[in-house]
Amino acid sequence: MTWWIPENQLSENQNILINCCVLENNDYVWLRGFPGSGKTLLLLHIAIRLLSHNLKAKIGVITYTNSLADLLCSCPFFDDQPDNVIFNSHVSFYLNNRKHFDYIFIDEIQDIPIHHLAKIKTMGDKIYFAGDFDQTIYPQRCSISELRALFNPLAEYHLTEVFRLTPNVFALAKRVAGDNGVESEVALNPKNPNIKLIEVGDSEKYEEVVWIVENALKLAQPGQPSAILFQCHDDIFDFGLYLTTYFEQKYKIKSYGPILHFGSSEDAYRSFNDTCKRHGLFFRYLNYYSAKFAESEGIPLVYLSTIHNAKGLEFNNVFLPSLTQGAFVDSEKVKGWNLFLVAITRTRENLFITYPTHNYFDYIDQSPASICSKLWLKDLIHPPTVKKEEGPAEEEEDEGIVF
């Protein structure tokens, strides 16, 4: 289980923080930190430590998405999940919970409406939460001042180590975030491949989809899934039009319409996942109802997901397709850049960004050459012939994947 780090493998600073949170006995605790600093992991470790002190303690763990709730409850400590511990999304908890808890743990607090938080506060004796306001992707949910006023007095802990992000992705993320809240000087992930920026010709849309899905699948391993992330559901459906053709040609799957059809997204995604499972294909749309994240522990999966649904999750390989001019920017410009920050920080290792030749994403020209490699899809599909001098035969490399 690659996402879970046992206590004996945590850093010295992480163990010190857990001890402080448990021993200082504050009513309200906020873990703050840059993406990849382990906020969610530490929340769960604090919950486990408190539960080990009192096995009958009533604990509620609240996440932003159902997918993350499903992942967290797969922690080995909760294999035999006791009745006094629940995992739930904030919407479901807010609407349906009727219990009172000794401890409540809340993840991604920056995107939870303040009136939800006010009600949740009345349901627990002590509240621990994690969040980074530079990752806010929904406007006017709550502000730092509102948070401090609601949970007063509030003990705040700043995490200053970044574990998940490679140094190159960390450098890009800092440029996107500016100086806001960046307290760590160095990313601690030893892996550091260049970020790949891949230009796609005007007539290469189908080839782009094929290259993405095939390389995402080649890079995926059990416990190390790949993800193709989209800004919205419409982008997934557009991608699905070409994916339908690919499935028909590659896997001989007969289709009577797009494999991801417009309409009810839940029905479309359920049908897509059922089709992939039935034909033994390692593709899933990530949702709580028909494709749980824990499934990737046993098989090399490629997930399709909106960026919003991927909040709090991490993948070894992340692909961001077709970033056009104006991507991630709308009437809430700050929210748009935060969405881009969330997207690029979902990866533990490889980040691939494709963009069109014309009207491409504003940030492409600003990407530092020291951390990014600019490539052309046509050269990846049909590598240019290079005449070599005769010599000893070299071992052939696997074509298509860029490292």
Side-chain angles (χ1 to χ4, degrees):
M1 184 168 291
T2 54
W3 71 271
W4 176 249
I5 309 298
E7 187 175 308
N8 62 4
Q9 294 180 24
L10 297 175
S11 74
E12 180 181 356
N13 288 334
Q14 287 177 314
N15 276 300
I16 290 172
L17 185 144
I18 293 170
N19 289 331
C20 288
C21 288
V22 172
L23 297 176
E24 291 182 2
N25 201 33
N26 294 295
D27 288 340
Y28 309 119
V29 175
W30 181 13
L31 303 188
R32 307 182 63 178
F34 202 68
S37 57
K39 300 182 292 295
T40 306
L41 178 71
L42 291 180
L43 272 187
L44 208 55
H45 271 290
I46 295 168
I48 290 171
R49 181 76 66 83
L50 291 168
L51 193 59
S52 67
H53 291 174
N54 178 9
L55 294 176
K56 295 183 179 180
K58 296 178 181 178
I59 292 179
V61 180
I62 303 172
T63 64
Y64 185 76
T65 64
N66 285 311
S67 298
L68 184 57
D70 176 63
L71 177 67
L72 296 187
C73 73
S74 71
C75 166
F77 187 87
F78 300 106
D79 281 344
D80 298 318
Q81 185 176 332
D83 294 336
N84 53 315
V85 180
I86 70 159
F87 293 83
N88 218 329
S89 71
H90 78 91
V91 172
S92 180
F93 191 90
Y94 171 78
L95 294 176
N96 303 317
N97 179 64
R98 299 294 182 269
K99 298 179 181 179
H100 192 84
F101 294 87
D102 299 305
Y103 306 99
I104 292 178
F105 295 83
I106 310 172
D107 196 26
E108 304 286 358
I109 199 162
Q110 73 277 357
D111 282 320
I112 299 179
I114 192 67
H115 66 280
H116 282 206
L117 294 175
K119 181 178 179 180
I120 291 171
K121 178 185 175 183
T122 66
M123 301 176 183
D125 294 332
K126 297 183 183 297
I127 314 289
Y128 296 78
F129 50 86
D132 168 24
F133 275 78
D134 290 322
Q135 294 186 70
T136 299
I137 59 175
Y138 292 102
Q140 301 175 347
R141 289 298 174 97
C142 73
S143 66
I144 293 178
S145 59
E146 289 175 323
L147 200 62
R148 288 173 173 157
L150 180 62
F151 298 102
N152 184 33
L154 178 60
E156 300 182 27
Y157 296 92
H158 293 258
L159 309 183
T160 59
E161 299 169 307
V162 174
F163 296 92
R164 178 173 72 237
L165 306 185
T166 67
N168 284 340
V169 171
F170 183 51
L172 178 61
K174 286 195 294 184
R175 289 175 67 93
V176 174
D179 295 328
N180 299 329
V182 182
E183 306 215 9
S184 174
E185 294 295 329
V186 180
L188 300 178
N189 186 337
K191 298 178 180 179
N192 199 31
N194 269 19
I195 298 161
K196 308 303 186 302
L197 306 176
I198 302 166
E199 182 177 315
V200 178
D202 294 337
S203 61
E204 295 178 328
K205 181 61 182 179
Y206 175 71
E207 288 78 7
E208 175 191 12
V209 171
V210 171
W211 188 89
I212 288 173
V213 298
E214 290 190 345
N215 282 276
L217 191 57
K218 287 179 182 178
L219 287 169
Q221 299 178 37
Q224 299 178 13
S226 297
I228 307 171
L229 303 182
F230 303 85
Q231 294 178 69
C232 62
H233 292 286
D234 285 351
D235 290 343
I236 299 179
F237 293 136
D238 288 343
F239 191 89
L241 294 174
Y242 297 95
L243 192 60
T244 299
T245 301
Y246 173 72
F247 278 7
E248 289 175 344
Q249 294 183 359
K250 178 74 173 181
Y251 302 111
K252 311 304 179 187
I253 296 175
K254 291 185 178 180
S255 175
Y256 299 97
I259 197 164
L260 281 170
H261 53 81
F262 290 87
S264 169
S265 57
E266 183 179 322
D267 290 343
Y269 296 139
R270 191 189 302 275
S271 174
F272 172 76
N273 290 339
D274 289 345
T275 297
C276 290
K277 291 176 183 178
R278 187 166 61 252
H279 291 278
L281 306 181
F282 297 132
F283 299 92
R284 301 287 188 273
Y285 174 77
L286 182 60
N287 69 359
Y288 179 72
Y289 303 100
S290 59
K292 298 187 178 183
F293 193 75
E295 185 183 3
S296 65
E297 290 297 325
I299 53 179
L301 283 182
V302 175
Y303 288 109
L304 281 66
S305 175
T306 61
I307 298 165
H308 298 75
N309 199 38
K311 275 180 68 68
L313 301 177
E314 55 187 56
F315 310 87
N316 275 59
N317 318 288
V318 168
F319 295 76
L320 304 180
S322 305
L323 297 197
T324 57
Q325 187 176 31
F328 299 106
V329 177
D330 54 18
S331 58
E332 297 286 345
K333 187 170 183 178
V334 173
K335 185 193 79 171
W337 281 110
N338 287 356
L339 190 62
F340 182 51
L341 177 66
V342 170
I344 64 177
T345 56
R346 295 310 92 203
T347 183
R348 286 192 293 249
E349 187 171 351
N350 295 301
L351 176 61
F352 301 88
I353 298 174
T354 63
Y355 63 95
T357 299
H358 306 289
N359 299 320
Y360 51 78
F361 181 39
D362 307 35
Y363 197 81
I364 297 299
D365 287 335
Q366 305 173 36
S367 304
S370 58
I371 63 173
C372 298
S373 298
K374 291 190 176 180
L375 306 159
W376 289 265
L377 182 64
K378 63 183 180 188
D379 292 339
L380 299 179
I381 298 173
H382 305 292
T385 303
V386 178
K387 187 176 182 180
K388 296 183 179 180
E389 295 182 5
E390 293 185 3
E394 296 182 0
E395 187 174 320
E396 291 187 2
E397 296 183 357
D398 187 13
E399 294 182 1
I401 301 179
V402 183
F403 292 100

